[in-house]
Structures are given as structure tokens and as C-alpha cells.
Amino acid sequence: MNPPLLFADCVSENFLGLRAVNQVSLEIHAGEIVSVIGPNGAGKTTLFNLLTGQLKPSSGDVFFENRKINSLGPHQRAQLGMGRTFQIAKPLIGLSVLENVMMASFMRQPALNQAREKAMSVLETVNMAGMIHRNVGDLTLSQRRRLEVARALALGPKILLLDEVMAGLNQSEVSQSIELLQSLHAMGHTFLIIEHNLKVVRAFSKRVVVLDQGGMIADGSADDILQSKEVIKAYLGEGHSWK
């Protein structure tokens, strides 16, 4: 097997004596779609922040394409090929949908016409081409989350890290999001995705990583994870089962 695209080697992060991430090791290979799940406070977003450079690990190392990147900031990691969305969508209010995506495009396409062309292509890919002139302040939550994916894609990433892109969406919107992820994955994109709903994860992800209290407690197929007593205990408590 080829070396991992992204590799976290025993990374930990401490906040005022609290270990938010505890010696997590994780390999993501090109072409994978891997979900990270866990109860609230499990350390999922903190792990993402360690991978993408918002935080530097208290211990352990992060590698991208066999290169140690602990010292690199978020923009430098984005230039290497790491695209990321956040739990709370933060579009550039006052700008149009197209302008928002163009701002991300400029990292790879410094010429105005090229950035616009790249942005238009990405918006076509995520089914937002008909909204290019709409002010982002007028978008629904679902549309804002799709816009966040578009902005990440405009960076030309080798891996996309998506932080709860389906949170707050209704069942129909979740289904549309799953279809989008499956379509992008079929195009060759690699994903690491934070999601709460394991049954939703089962619809699009073959491999699932589970965090609890900062540590990794499971890494396997969605079916195996659903049957794991340790995972069920972390989510539902002792003696419970999925309904």
C-alpha cells in the first residue's frame, strides 16, 4: 500500500491540564472517505484543528505526503493541498456566492479570469451555478454548508476535511448532501468527515473512526462500529442498543 496522504502520529492536545486529544494515530490514504464520529466533547474538532494547523500538538506529529508539517500554519497547509470546512459556516457576508468562491480560488489561480473560471466550475460541480449572483446572506443553512464545500474545493485540495457539514439539516437536505459527497468521491476526492449520526455515516463511508474523551476507541467498517459494545456505551450508555 502507498504511504498515507495524511498521517497523525500519536498526537495529543492539552488545554489547562485537560487532554482534549489523547495520543491519536490516524492514517488517511488517497481515495478514501473516512468518517470521524463520537459524542459531544470527544475531541473531533480539536483533532481537525491539529491536522489543519489551527492548533499545534502538545505532543506527536502530523505528516502530509510524508512531510512533517507541525510548524506550518493553516494557509501553508492549504497550499499543500488540505481543504477544510468548519462547524459554523462563515461566508464573506456582503459578497455574492461567486465572489466567495473566487476568494478561495485566488490561492491557486492568481489571475482574475482564471479564478472566476475555477469558481464557476466548482459551483457547477456542487449544483450552485444558478446562485452565483445571490448574496450569501440570503442563503439557507443547507446552501451555506454547500458553499463552504465549494470554497474548500476551489483550493484544489488533495484532501477535504469536512466538519459536520450536515448538522442542522432536514432529512431531504441530508440526502442531498450524501449524494454530493458520493459524487465528489467518485470524481476522486479524498475525505475526512466529522459526523454525529452513525447511521448517516453508514450511507457514505466505508471506514469509521470513533473518538471518546479524546482517545480513539475504534477504527473499522461502519457495520463493525455499529456492533461495537464500546461505541454503543460511549454513545448510549451501559446496557443500551441501537433502535
Side-chain angles (χ1 to χ4, degrees):
M1 182 179 290
N2 293 327
L5 177 62
L6 179 62
F7 174 41
D9 184 16
C10 289
V11 294
S12 297
E13 182 63 24
N14 301 321
F15 296 126
L16 300 175
L18 173 66
R19 181 153 286 194
V21 171
N22 186 16
Q23 295 187 328
V24 171
S25 292
L26 176 65
E27 293 185 3
I28 308 297
H29 291 264
E32 280 196 293
I33 180 166
V34 179
S35 294
V36 178
I37 69 168
N40 288 330
K44 303 182 296 296
T45 295
T46 301
L47 176 62
F48 263 38
N49 288 338
L50 293 172
L51 296 175
T52 56
Q54 278 76 23
L55 294 172
K56 292 184 179 180
S58 302
S59 62
D61 300 305
V62 179
F63 297 86
F64 188 74
E65 295 186 314
N66 277 338
R67 174 184 176 182
K68 186 176 175 179
I69 58 172
N70 287 35
S71 63
L72 300 185
H75 70 286
Q76 294 168 307
R77 299 189 195 198
Q79 289 173 335
L80 290 179
M82 298 178 70
R84 192 239 171 112
T85 68
F86 293 84
Q87 279 181 315
I88 300 175
K90 296 179 180 179
L92 301 172
I93 302 297
L95 298 182
S96 69
V97 167
L98 177 60
E99 289 167 336
N100 265 262
V101 182
M102 285 180 65
M103 293 298 288
S105 300
F106 281 127
M107 179 169 286
R108 298 284 185 191
Q109 313 290 342
L112 181 62
N113 289 341
Q114 292 176 333
R116 179 184 175 86
E117 183 178 339
K118 176 63 176 180
M120 288 292 295
S121 174
V122 168
L123 287 167
E124 182 75 33
T125 299
V126 301
N127 300 317
M128 294 188 74
M131 303 179 186
I132 61 172
H133 299 303
R134 188 177 299 183
N135 189 298
V136 295
D138 297 328
L139 298 181
T140 66
L141 174 61
S142 177
Q143 291 166 344
R144 287 193 181 199
R145 294 204 182 282
R146 191 166 288 239
L147 176 63
E148 286 286 289
V149 174
R151 291 170 65 186
L153 283 170
L155 297 172
K158 297 174 183 177
I159 185 171
L160 282 160
L161 295 92
L162 308 182
D163 193 346
E164 296 194 33
V165 290
M166 300 184 211
L169 306 187
N170 61 38
Q171 186 172 347
S172 174
E173 293 166 339
V174 167
S175 296
Q176 292 171 7
S177 294
I178 290 173
E179 289 177 6
L180 175 62
L181 292 180
Q182 290 173 329
S183 174
L184 292 173
H185 185 235
M187 293 168 61
H189 289 287
T190 302
F191 289 98
L192 183 62
I193 304 171
I194 291 177
E195 177 53 54
H196 272 292
N197 191 324
L198 205 161
K199 294 183 179 180
V200 170
V201 167
R202 193 178 189 182
F204 64 81
S205 187
K206 292 183 179 180
R207 181 178 161 214
V208 181
V209 171
V210 187
L211 298 184
D212 185 36
Q213 298 181 26
M216 184 188 296
I217 62 171
D219 181 350
S221 72
D223 287 339
D224 288 342
I225 297 302
L226 276 170
Q227 298 174 36
S228 167
K229 292 181 180 179
E230 192 171 6
V231 174
I232 293 171
K233 180 181 177 181
Y235 265 88
L236 306 177
E238 193 79 56
H240 291 78
S241 62
W242 304 109
K243 298 294 185 181

